[in-house]
Amino acid sequence: MSTAGFNSQNGTGTGQAYANGPSQNPVALQQPPGVSYGMTHQPTYNPMQAKAPAPPGPGLYPAGPYQPVPPVSSYQPGPPPTSYPSSPGHPLLPRPPMGGHPSHTPPQSASPSPGPRIPPGQATPPPPAVSSSSYYPNPQQPMAPTWQYNTPTPPLGPATSISAPPVGPVANHVNPAASLSGPSPPSSSAYSSGPPPPSISHSATQPPGPGMPPTSRHGYTQPGVAPPPMNPMAPHTYQGQPSRPAYGTSLTGPPPSGPPPTMKPTPPPTGPPVANATPPPPKADGAVAGNGPQAPNSYNHLDNKMAGPTPTGPPGRHLGHYPSLPPGYQNTSAPHATPPMHPAMQAATQPYTQAPQPYQQPPGGPGPAQLSPSLAAMSLQSSTPEALRVVNLLQERNLLPPTPIPAPTPCLTQDLQKLNCSPEVFRCTLTSIPQTQSLLNKAKMPLGLLLHPFKDLSQLPVVTSSTIVRCRSCRTYINPFVSFLDQRRWKCNLCYRVNDVPEEFMYNPVSRSYGEPHKRPEVQNATIEFIAPSEYMLRPPQPAVYLFVLDVSHNAVETGYLNVFCQSLLDNINSLPGDSRTKVGFITFDSTIHFYNLQEGLSQPQMLIVSDIEDIFLPTPDSLLVNLNECKELVQDLLKSLPNLFEKTMETQSALGSALQAAFKLLSPTGGRMSVFQTQLPNLGVGALQSREDPNQRASAKDIQHLAPATDFYKKLALDCSGQQVAVDLFLLSAQYCDLASLGCISRYSAGSVYYYPSYHHQHNPAQVERFQKDLKRYLTRKIGFEAVMRIRCTKGLSIHTFHGNFFVRSTDLLSLPNVNPDAGFAVQMSIEENLDDMQIVSFQAALLYTSSKGERRIRVHTLCLPVVNSLSDIFAGADVQAITGLLACMAVDRSVTASLSDARDAMTNAAIDSLMSYRQSVLTVQQPGLLAPACLRLFPLYILALLKQKGFRTGTSTRLDDRVFAMLQLKYQPLAYAMLMIHPALYRVDDLTDEGALNINERTIPQPRLLQLSVEKLSREGAFLMDAGTVMYLWIGRNCHPNFLTQVLGVPSYAAVPDNLYLLPELDTAESQRTRAFIGWLRDQRPFFPSLHIIRDESQLKASFMQNMIEDRTESALSYYEFLLHLQQQISK
Ligand SMILES: [Zn+2]
């Protein structure tokens, strides 16, 4: 049999991370490295161990017998993944118990986590019969008054204290005339506790200084402490002394006048962020109870509060039947004859008669409730579907389809599939769900979902309604896959509870007709967005708040990034998503932290320097985040002057940790987005890091060390941020090691993004500069959702356990996303906890509740429906090889960190071995020689080999640690479509593009060259080849490339004349040039980020990068594809 690693993924192995079953441990067993290529012997399965039921473990994923390593799931290194870092006494599942109808409560299912019901007394009164557009049905409702922007927050302790720099002492030194507390605009005094503190502004004493860079700087210096060396302009420096906290910082003269004020730089009472010490958010009318300290917008709570859009009457009489009522009997029990309705209701009695096209169902098929007894029978009734066509991988070399591979279509009736969620948004590794866990275990493929929930969509139905219809038991949103018993009752497709159809829902706003609830947009669209009524808010929706935190050390200035950043923001400042409430702020840092007072009314921005980085505080909390509309000119002034301001700095140190703490304090009252730009290893103050990489060991190390963070500082701070609805995006621009494994935690746990520009330099690396510019433009202008949570529900019997992506898992199925962006992907692993015996279909629903940049609370809901099957061949026929690969990549990243890279590599190899072995043993009826795979999995070994050679997982090749870690981060949070390009780049020949078979999009003709295998064999010296690797593209020019291409596309007379650092195709007025640029532009348009283009010759330095993607070829350290296949075959036939 086979080996360590992924062989155990379904629960029969030696204790591995890829378990699907409840008895499985998501954690890798520390074990001797298993097989690597060429090695022949491996540990065998240990069925006893694998089959042993798991003892109840902490958290959402019961620990298996092999528990030594922290769970992979949800990034909780320790105990319960639900705990916001170990808040003792805080219940794992803070939701209150099911409201007082226990007899109607379905058996507890681990998955859909039924929300509590609202007591009848609190039920929302029945809404008007007609869909209303009232967004705030009850605007007078006193709701979260503390969140009024202009309302002083009552003293709440730590949460609001951040706005409280020393008040008393400071006042002595403030020129009253200069106090910003006077006519300050509403937004400026927001969040301050009590009256605005006498501001520390010295603006009045500062003569408007023409000529200087517009930013005036005032130095507050502690006597005896040298002023910052780089400041020719004597900025304000708040010089605190950590060792003498009681002693106020004195100001050595806010220039040009004034004695040093003895301001007391007492920091806010909150100490350094301790995870469970996060103060409660600005109070939201107490409704947050039970949701942990940090849940100002608890979905849990909302479930509770929202329990009753359908509050009428007693619970349906069918409830009691729930456990024994299989789906599919609705029609027989429907008391009323009903008009033709939703497909689910159509009495489609015809069985599946048509020969099953593997992914296509005959039209007019039955609805979910009326499926013929078993879809599984299909494959027996007919000839083998294409997906199961036997392929001998050793003989069929050219397996790539000519064009990119589409997602498989689930085996559903056309009526259902027509309504199903787009695979671009929601995909499952197995488009046919096994009926039991044991069947899944036999298939040895991972079961999981891949989501791109906030993807930019060209068409998105938006519903404004005061009634959002949800299941009273499990809170599922009504969707196309529910069944209507009659016009007045619908049955939940996740928990099977029968719910009433509210009166309002009887009216269809689209057709303006009454009595057709099944034609409502909610029941016709698997992806839909609701504008939420006020019940979905615990506080008024937050404004868009953007804080930029910029490294201005010598190293940063050297890279030249600051110019690009400032220019990009200037260019896009009017396109930042937001409304009249939008706020912005800036912090720069080197060895000290610099704030910028941008208060309206100032003649120029003021820089305020705090050099006490040990105990960071905000010098003028009210004027650092300002209303963008009101203060736009000051912001623009600042952006124009920033690059010059630090031009000559010699400060080399980086106090990133303190800067992040300061930024956190600034953003805490509102939440928002923090964008951090860092160019070196932080080496000063909290969060300081040391280099952990030995470049000489990159290629030779037996295993890769330091994939895990060196400190928990960044994770803890990220969790604090998450609790205050702050997400941190990290832009890392560096030529040197920056310990991304540690720094990346700040984004990972706060639902941010990481951007990485290795070797960024404004002169030496123009391709990076271009990519940075394009990325920034996208970043600054793309859609953004604030204070978001996402919950994933699935049909009873299925259970979600491990999540992948950037977020914090707040409770078993609730992801906390302070920000959500359209470029973020997520993956979850699932198991089958109860047999799905009586079910023909199951459903999955992802609901993303967020605040739009315009201050609307919205809910985007995606629902995916899949068939249930009971034969292995049907499971295999529905395998989605790309989704499987994407999920395995996520799992392997976790395994690399919790166990080791070699362990993860073994596990990936074994995933291929196990699934093919299972196929051979259980599905193939006629044994034949060779390495056999079903057609739908024919690319699986290739993709696994590609993963093994991918930057994140490769060995034996010199790979910078940060490059490797970044690749791993990307695999975890990139949507599948982009991750697949990273894993298996697309190769095209482009010197002979024609219009044959071209697409025509917006009057543009887009050539469609065919995909080529990633092998040097496919290259030709006479040609030119484009490799699309997702974030980067290479255009390789053959030595004897046809002169026509050189002159007509590259604009050079000869091969020798191709410049070394060419990264842009000239815009020539030739057909060849237009075709090539159209094709490349089209590829780029299909992704939200900007892939840079490198035009390379044989002599180019980047040739190695290009060649490393030739996955099918042998290298010194890795097998060729054919050798890999032989290895798999050897393992399978053992
Ligand atoms: Zn339900």
Side-chain angles (χ1 to χ4, degrees):
M1 297 285 287
S2 74
T3 66
F6 281 18
N7 56 16
S8 62
Q9 61 191 348
N10 288 323
T12 54
T14 48
Q16 305 302 327
Y18 300 102
N20 279 317
S23 65
Q24 300 314 311
N25 186 347
V27 172
L29 175 65
Q30 295 282 4
Q31 61 178 6
V35 80
S36 54
Y37 305 151
M39 296 174 60
T40 53
H41 186 68
Q42 314 200 343
T44 54
Y45 282 113
N46 181 347
M48 300 216 10
Q49 189 176 23
K51 305 266 187 207
L60 56 92
Y61 195 47
Y66 12 83
Q67 178 54 12
V69 196
V72 179
S73 60
S74 72
Y75 307 129
Q76 294 299 309
T82 52
S83 69
Y84 180 63
S86 79
S87 41
H90 180 53
L92 289 189
L93 281 170
R95 262 163 290 167
M98 298 283 294
H101 305 282
S103 63
H104 301 134
T105 304
Q108 280 292 339
S109 154
S111 45
S113 48
R117 286 206 207 88
I118 188 166
Q122 294 177 15
T124 314
V130 172
S131 156
S132 86
S133 59
S134 77
Y135 175 29
Y136 293 95
N138 186 4
Q140 265 66 46
Q141 183 180 0
M143 191 178 56
T146 56
W147 267 87
Q148 295 305 319
Y149 272 74
N150 298 329
T151 308
T153 314
L156 276 177
T160 51
S161 65
I162 73 152
S163 59
V167 172
V170 174
N172 294 335
H173 299 277
V174 172
N175 182 339
S179 167
L180 299 177
S181 61
S184 57
S187 59
S188 69
S189 61
Y191 313 122
S192 64
S193 11
S199 160
I200 312 164
S201 161
H202 297 262
S203 57
T205 61
Q206 176 75 358
M212 289 311 287
T215 303
S216 62
R217 313 168 118 203
H218 303 249
Y220 289 30
T221 343
Q222 173 99 13
V225 176
M230 36 69 78
N231 259 330
M233 294 177 286
H236 285 244
T237 302
Y238 293 71
Q239 196 81 332
Q241 283 205 342
S243 56
R244 297 160 62 193
Y247 179 71
T249 301
S250 59
L251 310 178
T252 58
S257 70
T262 55
M263 63 178 284
K264 178 171 172 288
T266 309
T270 42
V274 175
N276 57 6
T278 307
K283 182 172 162 57
D285 75 15
V288 197
N291 274 313
Q294 82 297 353
N297 286 287
S298 161
Y299 212 148
N300 296 342
H301 165 70
L302 293 172
D303 271 358
N304 184 17
K305 195 170 177 182
M306 280 303 293
T310 60
T312 54
R317 58 177 177 266
H318 289 260
L319 287 180
H321 304 166
Y322 160 64
S324 59
L325 182 65
Y329 294 166
Q330 293 92 332
N331 275 357
T332 60
S333 65
H336 314 296
T338 53
M341 299 185 77
H342 175 254
M345 275 205 63
Q346 291 172 2
T349 51
Q350 68 267 41
Y352 277 46
T353 51
Q354 188 154 335
Q357 295 296 315
Y359 298 130
Q360 288 299 331
Q361 280 309 302
Q370 289 79 28
L371 292 182
S372 63
S374 170
L375 290 169
M378 291 176 31
S379 60
L380 303 175
Q381 292 168 355
S382 65
S383 55
T384 310
E386 164 61 20
L388 287 180
R389 181 175 56 85
V390 183
V391 177
N392 183 348
L393 298 176
L394 290 169
Q395 284 178 353
E396 287 193 38
R397 284 301 311 281
N398 193 2
L399 299 169
L400 288 179
T403 54
I405 308 160
T409 306
C411 195
L412 294 166
T413 65
Q414 274 196 353
D415 280 346
L416 279 182
Q417 185 52 33
K418 200 172 57 189
L419 295 169
N420 219 350
C421 201
S422 162
E424 293 184 343
V425 170
F426 214 152
R427 257 167 109 157
C428 186
T429 55
L430 304 178
T431 60
S432 292
I433 302 293
Q435 206 172 62
T436 64
Q437 178 70 32
S438 74
L439 202 54
L440 175 61
N441 290 346
K442 279 188 194 142
K444 297 195 182 296
M445 288 183 287
L447 178 59
L449 302 168
L450 288 97
L451 291 92
H452 189 177
F454 206 50
K455 179 180 167 62
D456 286 330
L457 297 171
S458 54
Q459 285 196 324
L460 175 68
V462 178
V463 173
T464 304
S465 166
S466 60
T467 301
I468 297 179
V469 180
R470 301 174 65 181
C471 173
R472 290 189 57 161
S473 272
C474 71
R475 313 305 301 134
T476 292
Y477 294 81
I478 197 166
N479 62 76
F481 312 107
V482 305
S483 34
F484 283 92
L485 304 189
D486 51 51
Q487 282 195 346
R488 292 293 181 170
R489 291 177 304 153
W490 64 277
K491 186 176 212 177
C492 176
N493 52 328
L494 269 63
C495 76
Y496 305 120
R497 176 183 167 130
V498 176
N499 294 274
D500 292 335
V501 175
E503 179 63 24
E504 180 184 346
F505 206 73
M506 296 298 290
Y507 177 76
N508 183 351
V510 178
S511 64
R512 304 191 175 199
S513 57
Y514 186 85
E516 296 180 324
H518 60 289
K519 289 189 178 167
R520 289 269 304 196
E522 294 91 331
V523 191
Q524 291 293 321
N525 294 283
T527 289
I528 195 162
E529 190 154 286
F530 298 96
I531 297 181
S534 58
E535 293 93 63
Y536 287 80
M537 304 167 203
L538 293 176
R539 63 179 193 184
Q542 74 169 67
V545 181
Y546 304 110
L547 177 61
F548 299 94
V549 182
L550 304 162
D551 180 355
V552 292
S553 64
H554 176 73
N555 196 57
V557 171
E558 277 294 291
T559 67
Y561 93 89
L562 204 53
N563 275 310
V564 174
F565 165 78
C566 290
Q567 193 56 49
S568 287
L569 188 50
L570 278 170
D571 292 345
N572 294 296
I573 198 151
N574 293 320
S575 308
L576 284 177
D579 57 15
S580 60
R581 300 187 301 162
T582 303
K583 291 180 157 203
V584 295
F586 298 86
I587 290 176
T588 58
F589 66 97
D590 39 39
S591 64
T592 57
I593 315 298
H594 326 136
F595 297 89
Y596 296 87
N597 183 345
L598 297 166
Q599 188 64 344
E600 193 185 18
L602 288 181
S603 59
Q604 55 187 358
Q606 276 186 323
M607 181 195 242
L608 307 165
I609 297 180
V610 172
S611 56
D612 178 6
I613 60 167
E614 295 299 322
D615 233 348
I616 201 74
F617 66 99
L618 304 178
T620 59
D622 292 340
S623 50
L624 302 177
L625 273 180
V626 295
N627 184 289
L628 178 59
N629 284 342
E630 293 163 8
C631 305
K632 192 172 284 174
E633 282 184 18
L634 279 180
V635 170
Q636 287 167 329
D637 280 353
L638 177 65
L639 289 171
K640 286 173 192 158
S641 60
L642 259 185
N644 301 329
L645 214 52
F646 298 95
E647 210 170 22
K648 302 209 166 62
T649 182
M650 296 307 290
E651 182 57 74
T652 57
Q653 291 190 299
S654 171
L656 173 67
S658 305
L660 292 174
Q661 286 180 333
F664 167 65
K665 285 182 180 177
L666 195 48
L667 280 176
S668 291
T670 47
R673 182 176 76 186
M674 189 195 303
S675 313
V676 179
F677 296 76
Q678 172 73 4
T679 68
Q680 61 176 320
L681 195 67
N683 54 11
L684 194 63
V686 291
L689 298 168
Q690 292 178 329
S691 179
R692 296 190 289 165
E693 185 185 35
D694 178 357
N696 299 319
Q697 295 290 310
R698 280 178 192 151
S700 60
K702 175 127 176 30
D703 219 330
I704 307 299
Q705 304 298 311
H706 308 308
L707 293 171
T711 166
D712 62 358
F713 171 81
Y714 295 97
K715 176 180 176 178
K716 281 182 170 174
L717 187 54
L719 295 180
D720 286 344
C721 286
S722 177
Q724 299 298 327
Q725 304 294 358
V726 174
V728 185
D729 296 323
L730 176 64
F731 290 79
L732 194 58
L733 308 102
S734 170
Q736 302 142 11
Y737 174 73
C738 281
D739 198 351
L740 189 53
S742 300
L743 294 184
C745 293
I746 192 72
S747 299
R748 185 169 158 189
Y749 297 101
S750 69
S753 317
V754 176
Y755 294 81
Y756 179 46
Y757 306 88
S759 309
Y760 185 91
H761 193 278
H762 64 115
Q763 285 172 333
H764 305 154
N765 203 337
Q768 290 280 42
V769 174
E770 190 193 19
R771 187 158 75 86
F772 181 52
Q773 282 170 329
K774 296 285 169 79
D775 283 354
L776 270 179
K777 180 176 169 59
R778 164 75 181 169
Y779 174 77
L780 293 171
T781 59
R782 73 184 176 188
K783 197 176 163 75
I784 183 170
F786 295 97
E787 48 186 353
V789 288
M790 182 166 71
R791 193 190 292 280
I792 302 172
R793 296 177 166 89
C794 49
T795 295
K796 179 185 169 300
L798 292 162
S799 164
I800 287 170
H801 51 86
T802 303
F803 297 85
H804 302 276
N806 290 354
F807 48 74
F808 171 65
V809 181
R810 192 181 290 165
S811 69
T812 48
D813 55 356
L814 186 70
L815 305 185
S816 173
L817 304 167
N819 287 179
V820 60
N821 73 71
D823 306 331
F826 302 86
V828 298
Q829 291 166 245
M830 285 187 303
S831 56
I832 302 167
E833 300 211 318
E834 295 170 35
N835 289 357
L836 308 171
D837 286 338
D838 296 323
M839 305 180 194
Q840 278 79 43
I841 56 165
V842 289
S843 301
F844 309 90
Q845 187 173 78
L848 179 70
L849 174 62
Y850 70 97
T851 296
S852 78
S853 57
K854 308 281 186 213
E856 282 175 329
R857 203 74 174 134
R858 286 173 169 246
I859 309 160
R860 188 172 296 188
V861 178
H862 307 286
T863 312
L864 175 70
C865 174
L866 294 175
V868 176
V869 300
N870 63 7
S871 82
L872 273 175
S873 57
D874 287 338
I875 298 172
F876 273 96
D880 180 341
V881 67
Q882 294 196 328
I884 290 172
T885 304
L887 183 61
L888 285 174
C890 291
M891 292 155 71
V893 169
D894 286 353
R895 181 81 74 89
S896 301
V897 177
T898 56
S900 68
L901 187 71
S902 59
D903 194 50
R905 290 170 52 88
D906 293 344
M908 286 190 280
T909 308
N910 291 333
I913 293 170
D914 290 343
S915 57
L916 294 185
M917 187 148 65
S918 169
Y919 167 74
R920 180 169 198 127
Q921 292 171 346
S922 309
V923 178
L924 271 186
T925 47
V926 181
Q927 295 299 324
Q928 8 179 333
L931 180 61
L932 307 177
C936 62
L937 285 180
R938 68 192 187 282
L939 294 173
F940 193 30
L942 178 63
Y943 287 159
I944 292 294
L945 180 66
L947 274 175
L948 294 169
K949 296 187 175 186
Q950 215 273 336
K951 210 174 266 183
F953 299 114
R954 69 190 182 193
T955 55
T957 304
S958 181
T959 305
R960 293 171 11 140
L961 190 51
D962 280 345
D963 289 358
R964 184 186 296 279
V965 170
F966 181 63
M968 289 183 167
L969 290 175
Q970 281 186 303
L971 288 172
K972 290 268 281 189
Y973 73 69
Q974 289 248 348
L976 181 64
Y978 316 133
M980 282 312 298
L981 278 174
M982 289 177 56
I983 295 168
H984 188 275
L987 181 68
Y988 309 92
R989 180 163 187 166
V990 292
D991 62 299
D992 55 359
L993 294 177
T994 69
D995 290 344
E996 195 183 320
L999 299 178
N1000 200 307
I1001 299 173
N1002 298 334
E1003 316 267 307
R1004 280 167 69 212
T1005 304
I1006 317 289
Q1008 296 291 297
R1010 67 169 291 136
L1011 276 174
L1012 300 175
Q1013 288 168 265
L1014 291 169
S1015 169
V1016 175
E1017 266 175 32
K1018 296 295 173 188
L1019 301 180
S1020 145
R1021 291 186 170 216
E1022 286 76 38
F1025 294 83
L1026 181 75
M1027 179 186 284
D1028 177 5
T1031 54
V1032 61
M1033 292 179 178
Y1034 302 97
L1035 179 55
W1036 180 85
I1037 311 296
R1039 188 176 288 273
N1040 303 325
C1041 183
H1042 200 283
N1044 192 51
F1045 185 80
L1046 296 173
T1047 54
Q1048 306 297 304
V1049 176
L1050 300 181
V1052 295
S1054 66
Y1055 174 80
V1058 177
D1060 262 344
N1061 275 324
L1062 190 57
Y1063 63 96
L1064 203 60
L1065 285 181
E1067 294 192 15
L1068 304 179
D1069 191 19
T1070 64
E1072 292 84 350
S1073 172
Q1074 280 166 5
R1075 279 196 200 103
T1076 312
R1077 285 184 287 116
F1079 180 57
I1080 293 175
W1082 174 74
L1083 291 174
R1084 280 176 166 160
D1085 286 347
Q1086 292 175 60
R1087 64 205 76 166
F1089 48 85
F1090 183 82
S1092 49
L1093 174 68
H1094 298 279
I1095 296 161
I1096 56 177
R1097 299 182 300 159
D1098 262 354
E1099 296 78 9
S1100 300
Q1101 283 184 337
L1102 282 169
K1103 185 189 170 193
S1105 305
F1106 175 76
M1107 289 301 172
Q1108 273 170 4
N1109 284 327
M1110 292 298 178
I1111 286 157
E1112 300 201 16
D1113 296 339
R1114 181 181 195 165
T1115 67
E1116 283 177 20
S1117 56
L1119 301 184
S1120 71
Y1121 176 55
Y1122 190 70
E1123 290 168 323
F1124 184 63
L1125 292 177
L1126 289 176
H1127 169 69
L1128 297 184
Q1129 187 192 28
Q1130 188 184 26
Q1131 296 300 313
I1132 289 172
S1133 55
K1134 268 203 301 192

